[in-house]
Amino acid sequence: MVSDSVEKPTSETRPRYAPRKAKSYDTDKLHQYVVPDLSMQDLLSAIPTQCFRRSTLHSSMYVMIDFAQAAVLFYAASWIDPLTQDMHWSFLSMSEESTRSALRFILWGLYSFCQGLVFTGIWVLAHECGHQAFSPSKFINNTVGWFLHSALLVPYHSWRISHARHHAATGHMTRDEVFVPSTREERGLLPLRPVDDDSPVVTDKTTWSEWLAELLEDAPLFNLLELIIQQLFGWQLYLLFNVSGQKHYPRYTNHFMPNSVIFDKRHRNQIIMSNVGILLTLTVLWTWARHASNGWFDVMRYYGIPYVWTNHWLVMITYLQHTDVKLPHYHASMWTFPRGALCTIDREWLGFVGPWFFHGIAETHVLHHVSSRIPHYNAWEATEALKSRIGPHYMKSTENVFVSLWKTIRSCRYVENEPVTFYRNADGVPGSVAVLSAGTDSGVALSD
């Protein structure tokens, strides 16, 4: 509250507002994260040898199943308009035409949701190709991956390369590639006032924009808007403008320019080939729109809306894999590859949806960072073996993922410049503290 003695603002003199005051907290009551001290030999030796075997035939069966599901849904959707057009009944007080329109809307919505799940599964299989986990053959991996990802408007090689960089430096504050935490300063926020700072709220040092940033930082409606933008446009913003990527990259860093800082000169032809794949898919969509009875409207219904759903699932899965108040991020002095590999969480994804449609990408992601060449159908056995070896360092959540998504956007606002750093909320309270003693009992598993 502003004191009554403070002079009201005029067009010439506006009040300035002090930054947010930090909240006090007891570090002993925070989650105690024991920083692992494991080698890659410790991690890989726990995984049975058969889990590393890749079968082109076995992997191809999943591609065929996913395409069969997509074809069945496509065919079923082709009957929505004819069937609803011929119906002659009304619902409640609605007219026949209103009933037809409502049912048509519901059925198309159901189709786009289900097809989005199938498209996401195809996306995950292409992702396995990028890791060379689909087949022992590099040629088959890159050919199948390029075809599948191009069909979903993903620049295959471009993303494969940047994603490999992410795996090589997961959890590293200056080398990781995506969902890199921001500091308060990078978020445009002022340093928090100390807990014992009782200075007046109104000062002459802070600008309106800084005050507005402080005001919105933990406003639920603003957080919801952030979430909507992230889920609808996060994937495209990352590819085009490096949003959520490294802050020190040059201003126009993207996945489509061969001279981008993400790539080396040897990658030039691969980046061009990736762009060609996107252009070919856009050409197919444009040709489809020209010959479809309803033009681009048909393309959007059959392909466009499921594509939006696919991007939503992709961003949500990736975001929740690497963003949580109990997950550390490391500066160079503390980072090692094994520590980075364990900077992720396995999450149960909506019952059968994750294991069937998404091929377990969310449920076995810790294992995926330990060894990305293990195919998804072997990842379940490998995960169980890895859990037994790493014990308290294994992170898993069974909480509903939409609940986790809202909690995360509210709690994971920024990090401090610490060797081992954890996300803090808007008031500066972290979710965890690092414990460097290997003998300390941590209880790291996420509670729901």
Side-chain angles (χ1 to χ4, degrees):
M1 295 288 293
V2 178
S3 172
D4 293 335
S5 63
V6 177
E7 182 180 355
K8 292 183 178 180
T10 66
S11 58
E12 289 79 18
T13 61
R14 297 179 179 178
R16 308 301 184 187
Y17 296 82
R20 186 187 300 269
K21 185 175 180 179
K23 284 188 177 180
S24 60
Y25 58 90
D26 185 352
T27 56
D28 292 335
K29 294 182 179 179
L30 296 179
H31 172 256
Q32 308 290 305
Y33 182 88
V34 179
V35 177
D37 190 16
L38 299 166
S39 68
M40 284 308 298
Q41 177 64 24
D42 294 329
L43 301 178
L44 294 176
S45 63
I47 303 171
T49 304
Q50 65 268 19
C51 294
F52 294 93
R53 294 173 185 156
R54 299 162 289 172
S55 167
T56 305
L57 178 60
H58 198 166
S59 298
S60 298
M61 288 175 59
Y62 286 95
V63 174
M64 290 186 287
I65 290 171
D66 281 354
F67 270 85
Q69 291 179 134
V72 168
L73 287 169
F74 191 95
Y75 177 74
S78 70
W79 285 94
I80 294 176
D81 288 352
L83 291 177
T84 54
Q85 189 64 37
D86 293 339
M87 58 183 288
H88 298 289
W89 55 275
S90 60
F91 181 73
L92 298 178
S93 60
M94 298 168 62
S95 66
E96 285 190 357
E97 183 56 38
S98 296
T99 301
R100 281 193 285 266
S101 297
L103 184 58
R104 193 178 300 123
F105 178 82
I106 292 171
L107 291 176
W108 275 110
L110 181 61
Y111 160 78
S112 63
F113 173 78
C114 293
Q115 193 70 287
L117 297 178
V118 175
F119 281 7
T120 305
I122 295 173
W123 203 107
V124 171
L125 295 177
H127 156 262
E128 287 210 341
C129 292
H131 283 292
Q132 305 301 307
F134 185 88
S135 167
S137 166
K138 183 176 181 179
F139 175 79
I140 292 176
N141 281 318
N142 288 338
T143 301
V144 174
W146 178 84
F147 175 80
L148 297 180
H149 260 167
S150 296
L152 295 171
L153 296 176
V154 178
Y156 171 70
H157 288 292
S158 309
W159 184 81
R160 175 184 64 79
I161 294 165
S162 70
H163 189 61
R165 288 165 62 104
H166 158 64
H167 271 260
T170 308
H172 196 298
M173 284 294 294
T174 56
R175 289 177 48 215
D176 202 352
E177 285 291 321
V178 66
F179 289 121
V180 180
S182 299
T183 62
R184 283 189 65 85
E185 182 181 6
E186 288 168 339
R187 287 192 61 81
L189 303 171
L190 293 169
L192 289 171
R193 289 188 294 160
V195 175
D196 57 355
D197 185 350
D198 294 321
S199 59
V201 174
V202 179
T203 74
D204 59 358
K205 297 180 180 180
T206 310
T207 66
W208 274 106
S209 61
E210 290 167 334
W211 168 76
L212 184 61
E214 296 288 349
L215 178 69
L216 295 177
E217 185 65 6
D218 63 347
L221 285 178
F222 180 72
N223 296 156
L224 179 61
L225 178 61
E226 285 183 306
L227 202 55
I228 291 172
I229 293 173
Q230 172 182 290
Q231 295 308 123
L232 287 179
F233 308 110
W235 173 239
Q236 290 85 357
L237 290 173
Y238 171 62
L239 291 180
L240 290 168
F241 305 109
N242 193 44
V243 172
S244 86
Q246 274 298 337
K247 314 297 186 296
H248 60 78
Y249 282 177
R251 190 176 175 179
Y252 298 105
T253 297
N254 64 70
H255 281 70
F256 300 96
M257 299 296 293
N259 61 349
S260 174
V261 69
I262 301 172
F263 313 120
D264 298 332
K265 289 183 179 180
R266 61 192 170 91
H267 296 139
R268 179 179 178 80
N269 290 338
Q270 296 177 57
I271 308 310
I272 293 173
M273 189 62 181
S274 300
N275 294 342
V276 168
I278 300 293
L279 291 174
L280 287 175
T281 299
L282 290 174
T283 301
V284 170
L285 295 176
W286 177 77
T287 304
W288 179 8
R290 284 194 61 194
H291 294 89
S293 56
N294 294 302
W296 281 105
F297 184 62
D298 276 350
V299 175
M300 287 303 298
R301 290 193 298 179
Y302 283 100
Y303 179 90
I305 306 303
Y307 168 79
V308 172
W309 272 111
T310 301
N311 291 340
H312 153 72
W313 292 122
L314 164 66
V315 172
M316 183 175 173
I317 291 169
T318 309
Y319 177 66
L320 289 180
Q321 283 169 344
H322 298 287
T323 312
D324 193 274
V325 293
K326 294 184 179 181
L327 278 180
H329 285 79
Y330 299 96
H331 282 274
S333 62
M334 290 297 295
W335 185 89
T336 65
F337 185 88
R339 287 175 178 174
L342 298 179
C343 286
T344 186
I345 305 174
D346 285 349
R347 295 187 186 270
E348 292 186 5
W349 208 270
L350 302 176
F352 72 93
V353 170
W356 177 258
F357 287 105
F358 299 167
H359 306 299
I361 190 64
E363 290 85 352
T364 62
H365 200 69
V366 175
L367 177 278
H368 177 64
H369 270 269
V370 171
S371 180
S372 59
R373 288 198 177 191
I374 293 178
H376 69 90
Y377 43 82
N378 291 336
W380 302 92
E381 179 185 357
T383 292
E384 292 303 314
L386 184 65
K387 284 166 56 177
S388 299
R389 173 63 58 87
I390 63 179
H393 298 299
Y394 175 69
M395 305 278 279
K396 181 177 180 178
S397 174
T398 58
E399 183 178 66
N400 180 279
V401 289
F402 285 100
V403 173
S404 296
L405 182 63
W406 179 245
K407 285 183 178 179
T408 302
I409 199 73
R410 295 277 290 157
S411 302
C412 298
R413 304 306 300 172
Y414 68 93
V415 297
E416 296 288 1
N417 283 313
E418 302 162 329
V420 184
T421 189
F422 295 87
Y423 271 110
R424 296 172 180 251
N425 64 19
D427 296 313
V429 180
S432 303
V433 291
V435 178
L436 301 182
S437 172
T440 303
D441 183 15
S442 65
V444 171
L446 289 175
S447 60
D448 300 317

